[in-house]
Amino acid sequence: MKKEGLSILIPAYNVDCRQLVAELSSQAEDIDGLDYEIIVADDGSPDRATVELCREVEKLPRCRFIDRRHNVGRAAIRNFLAREASMPWLLFLDCDMSIISSYFLDAYLNADGDVIYGGYRVRQESGGRSCLRYLYEWSTQQDHTAENRRKRPYQHFHTCNFMVSRDVMLAHPFDEQFRTYGYEDVLFGRHLREAGITIRHLDNPVGFLTFEDNASFVSKTEEGLQTLHQFRNELRGYSNLLTAVEGIHVGAVRWLIRLWHRLFGPLERRNLCGSHPSLLLFKAYKLGNYLTINDSQ
């Protein structure tokens, strides 16, 4: 059991993470002999009311809150937290996740490996037919089982819920060139593979229970596609969309997809941001948006 010391690290941005931290604190306190700390670092949230709510985690034992007024992005804030940590093992969790198992920390502490990813699970009752993010996550639920993740261990890694030795994390930090949304975790997985470091996939999910509104998710997706395009050479072979795009060898087909997106992209986006979003249109919109990125630059 990894009881020599655990730093639980939570980057926060415009989310009230008090319940998440309280559950982690309760589990950690119940594990006999565990030396631990919990550090929450706010990454320049503009919602100062939420920041002040998160600051209340300092009332819990061994919890520290760091208020960083300047946003540095998803990669840099995790590297910062790794440097702030004082324990040999680091557990990273996204601030909008929920603990759904009373043995969550025990499962990690009893697992072998230098990098361990526990996964996430979408609750059926947590969304509805009008929520695009929920529909998308629910449709891909099977991909996130530990059994399926183990088939492509480096491509199926996400930052929402993983444990890593501090030595490995400091030696292989996230690439801080990733300032915009998306794919910093995918490149991290590639770098681990190149370094010969195994990612172990554990069935120890956190709950994905809350979702942004449709317009915010579409905007976030568009930003992620920009990131994918910017780092397409580094991410080749690690993105299904990139593989699909590079599999279109006929120039006329690419031209037709671009034309469709220019003509119908605004209508597709209106559907995706509305109350009856279509997953089929979402896939078409992503493909068209990616192929027309060069046109808008």
Side-chain angles (χ1 to χ4, degrees), residues 13 71-75 78 94 96-97 120 133 136-137 158-159 177-185 208 212 216-231 235:
Y13 186 79
N71 180 269
V72 295
R74 293 160 55 90
R78 287 174 172 82
D94 280 359
D96 56 354
M97 295 293 155
Y120 67 89
R133 182 67 183 271
Y136 172 74
E137 296 292 350
H158 299 281
T159 57
Q177 294 182 84
F178 283 71
R179 294 296 306 274
T180 53
Y181 177 79
Y183 295 98
E184 78 286 341
D185 47 2
F208 195 177
E212 63 268 75
S216 296
F217 180 52
V218 172
S219 295
K220 186 182 289 186
T221 299
E222 292 166 342
E223 184 178 354
L225 292 172
Q226 292 280 348
T227 304
L228 177 61
H229 186 267
Q230 180 182 354
F231 295 97
L235 296 169

Side-chain angles (χ1 to χ4, degrees), residues 61-77:
R62 308 196 203 187
C63 290
R64 180 158 63 105
F65 180 79
I66 303 173
D67 185 1
R68 290 169 58 89
R69 296 300 182 98
H70 177 64
N71 180 269
V72 295
R74 293 160 55 90
I77 191 65

Side-chain angles (χ1 to χ4, degrees), residues 16-193:
D16 180 358
C17 61
R18 290 177 298 172
Q19 184 175 348
L20 170 64
V21 176
E23 176 60 30
L24 292 165
S25 176
S26 176
Q27 288 195 21
E29 286 291 303
D30 286 342
I31 297 175
D32 185 47
L34 176 64
D35 191 12
Y36 79 95
E37 64 180 352
I38 301 176
I39 307 175
V40 178
D42 183 83
D43 190 23
S45 296
D47 184 351
R48 298 306 299 174
T50 299
V51 172
E52 293 309 311
L53 289 176
C54 289
R55 195 185 302 276
E56 294 179 9
V57 302
E58 292 195 318
K59 298 176 182 177
L60 295 168
R62 308 196 203 187
C63 290
R64 180 158 63 105
F65 180 79
I66 303 173
D67 185 1
R68 290 169 58 89
R69 296 300 182 98
H70 177 64
N71 180 269
V72 295
R74 293 160 55 90
I77 191 65
R78 287 174 172 82
N79 291 342
F80 167 78
L81 278 164
R83 294 190 298 269
E84 286 290 310
S86 62
M87 303 295 178
W89 291 97
L90 314 179
L91 174 58
F92 283 92
L93 292 163
D94 280 359
C95 60
D96 56 354
M97 295 293 155
S98 301
I99 305 303
I100 57 177
S101 167
S102 57
Y103 302 100
F104 177 74
L105 290 184
D106 273 315
Y108 268 125
L109 293 171
N110 285 292
D112 295 324
D114 287 330
V115 183
I116 309 166
Y117 173 49
Y120 67 89
R121 182 176 301 158
V122 180
R123 291 295 182 91
Q124 188 169 9
E125 68 275 12
S126 62
R129 301 297 302 176
S130 63
C131 179
L132 179 60
R133 182 67 183 271
Y134 167 74
L135 292 174
Y136 172 74
E137 296 292 350
W138 183 255
S139 71
T140 61
Q141 181 88 316
Q142 190 61 29
D143 296 338
H144 301 299
T145 65
E147 180 182 2
N148 279 333
R149 286 187 271 119
R150 290 176 188 130
K151 296 174 183 177
R152 301 180 72 200
Y154 296 96
Q155 287 84 348
H156 286 295
F157 173 82
H158 299 281
T159 57
C160 65
N161 171 28
F162 76 101
M163 175 180 278
V164 57
S165 78
R166 188 170 185 269
D167 288 343
V168 167
M169 187 67 202
L170 294 180
H172 304 278
F174 288 101
D175 189 335
E176 296 189 12
Q177 294 182 84
F178 283 71
R179 294 296 306 274
T180 53
Y181 177 79
Y183 295 98
E184 78 286 341
D185 47 2
V186 179
L187 188 60
F188 182 72
R190 175 182 172 176
H191 288 166
L192 291 179
R193 183 176 190 171

